[in-house]
Amino acid sequence: MSADADYADAPRIPPIPPRPPHRPAAPPADEDPRTTVLRPVPADPTVPPPAAPATPSATPPAARQPLPAETAQAPAPPAPAAPPRPSASPTTPPPPRTEPPAAPPRPGRTPRSFRDTAAFHLANSAPLWDESSDRPASPPPPAAPPPPPAWPAPPARPTADEPAPRRPLADRLPGTRVVAAAAGLVLGVGLIVGAAAGSWLAEAPAKGAPTPESIFAKGQDAWRNTPVDTLFPRTVEGLAAGPGGADRTWTRIAVAPDTDCTARYEGPLAKELAPAGCARLLRATYVDATRTHVITVGAQTTRADRSGMMDLNARFSTNDLADHKALMPLPLAAKGTPAEDFGPAQRASWTVRILTDVPVVVYTVSGFADGREITDPQPADAAVQPGTATTAAESGLGHDAKGLADKISATFRTASGVPAQSTEVAS
């Protein structure tokens, strides 16, 4: 007996029905173009859906009665438990739609966001691969630079039998022409500079140097056009102007107002200077560095011309009028200064200078600042002589009178336009 006959009467388990097919819900509309492109295509509505399985009956079929032999051979197996009854029948899917849904319109232009997707690049990569074979080949690498030219081979040395060619002297001594050209250039420049300097020196007196007449004319107004500090400097330095070549320094302590030339200010000297006339008289008093010597200096501007000043100088030199004690200038005693006691009795030395290049007469007179009287005054030219044993010579008052007269004469000459000499200049 077959196995099917043995289990013919056994209760059968109903088969599990398959899952009913169902249509997935339509995806929500999205603005992203990828949703439209990748949306699945719906199935063909003409194909009917599969039939639903039969619903099992509630009453199972009657069990087959076992045969006597089966009963005797083996014990009867226990009856299987009945499967649980479903609570409700499976849901029947809705009938399919008779018309397929209309597909969304294809965008006329590929959105910009789609261009960045893999699908866009895959769809447009074929032309790029096809054009790769049509592209021109890459340019060949640049050629290597040409090698540098080889050094020229040295000329072959002549053999012992063949004498070497002798180069010209200009080639053997290349500096000869250069030296000659430089020498010619220096010589030419020297000639040009010498000619220019000669012409300048020849024309200088006619153009720039003042004439004696212009100097004399300017000297007549020097007292008016020149500051007093220029004519009578505040400090005058006399290098080697003292006894034994000692330096002297004189400081101005008083300046008198400009006055007329009268005996009140000049004494008997005014009478001797009267033939030359008097334009103005200027006076000042100085003191030495030790403040023990005082010196009065006067400058009288005359009205004489050049010949008149020459006559005045000749008369004073011929008659030794500058050395007469009676013609000794008067001092300027300023109150409240070291010279306030400087009177006629304190005069120790003096000098008178008649200038011929400018219309000016310069004179000086010196004495002690403590007011002591001098009984043997001496002219400055005599007191400065070596070996003189007078009071004026030993004290240095003669050197003070002579040195300060030289300095003030130089300031008036400079103010009149006389070229500077190689002498000391008052400061």
Side-chain angles (χ1 to χ4, degrees), residues 241-243 248 250 286-296 328 342 345-351 364-385 388 390-405:
R248 288 293 198 182
W250 302 287
Y286 286 81
V287 65
D288 69 343
T290 62
R291 302 183 73 82
T292 58
H293 296 176
V294 289
I295 309 99
T296 294
M328 192 184 311
F342 186 27
Q346 284 75 35
R347 295 176 295 179
S349 184
W350 77 97
T351 185
T364 56
V365 58
S366 61
F368 290 103
D370 57 1
R372 76 181 72 175
E373 296 183 1
I374 303 298
T375 58
D376 55 344
Q378 188 179 21
D381 292 340
V384 298
Q385 299 298 323
T388 305
T390 61
T391 304
E394 293 178 350
S395 63
L397 289 173
H399 293 79
D400 291 336
K402 180 181 182 300
L404 193 57

Side-chain angles (χ1 to χ4, degrees), residues 35-358:
T35 307
T36 304
V37 175
L38 301 180
R39 181 177 294 121
V41 181
D44 189 0
T46 59
V47 180
T55 304
S57 59
T59 304
R64 184 176 60 86
Q65 295 297 328
L67 298 177
E70 295 176 356
T71 306
Q73 289 179 359
R85 179 178 297 178
S87 58
S89 60
T91 304
T92 303
R97 297 177 58 180
T98 58
E99 296 181 1
R106 188 178 185 86
R109 179 183 181 198
T110 306
R112 183 178 298 275
S113 58
F114 178 67
R115 298 177 188 177
D116 297 334
T117 60
F120 175 79
H121 291 291
L122 291 176
N124 294 274
S125 61
L128 298 178
W129 289 104
D130 296 341
E131 293 177 1
S132 60
S133 58
D134 300 338
R135 293 181 181 177
S138 58
W151 289 97
R157 294 185 178 181
T159 60
D161 299 337
E162 180 182 358
R166 189 177 183 82
R167 294 185 301 168
L169 181 62
D171 295 341
R172 286 180 290 164
L173 299 176
T176 304
R177 287 181 289 182
V178 176
V179 173
L185 178 62
V186 172
L187 182 60
V189 172
L191 292 175
I192 294 174
V193 172
S199 62
W200 178 78
L201 292 176
E203 297 176 0
K207 292 183 178 180
T211 61
E213 291 76 9
S214 63
I215 293 175
F216 194 89
K218 189 176 181 180
Q220 292 176 340
D221 297 327
W223 67 272
R224 180 188 299 112
N225 300 330
T226 308
V228 65
D229 288 344
T230 301
L231 298 177
F232 294 145
R234 294 180 179 271
T235 303
V236 179
E237 299 290 342
L239 300 178
D247 295 339
R248 288 293 198 182
T249 300
W250 302 287
T251 304
R252 192 186 69 192
I253 58 176
V255 176
D258 56 289
T259 60
D260 296 331
C261 305
T262 60
R264 178 182 177 184
Y265 305 108
E266 295 181 325
L269 182 62
K271 182 180 179 180
E272 298 297 333
L273 298 177
C278 177
R280 212 64 181 166
L281 174 64
L282 305 179
R283 295 184 301 163
T285 299
Y286 286 81
V287 65
D288 69 343
T290 62
R291 302 183 73 82
T292 58
H293 296 176
V294 289
I295 309 99
T296 294
V297 57
Q300 174 182 335
T301 301
T302 69
R303 297 182 183 275
D305 54 7
R306 294 185 63 191
S307 61
M309 293 302 296
M310 295 292 291
D311 295 342
L312 182 63
N313 184 42
R315 189 164 61 89
F316 264 73
S317 299
T318 302
N319 300 323
D320 292 332
L321 297 180
D323 296 338
H324 288 186
K325 294 182 181 180
L327 300 180
M328 192 184 311
L330 294 178
L332 172 62
K335 294 183 179 180
T337 66
E340 61 181 353
D341 296 330
F342 186 27
Q346 284 75 35
R347 295 176 295 179
S349 184
W350 77 97
T351 185
V352 179
R353 304 288 176 84
I354 308 297
L355 307 182
T356 58
D357 50 354
V358 293

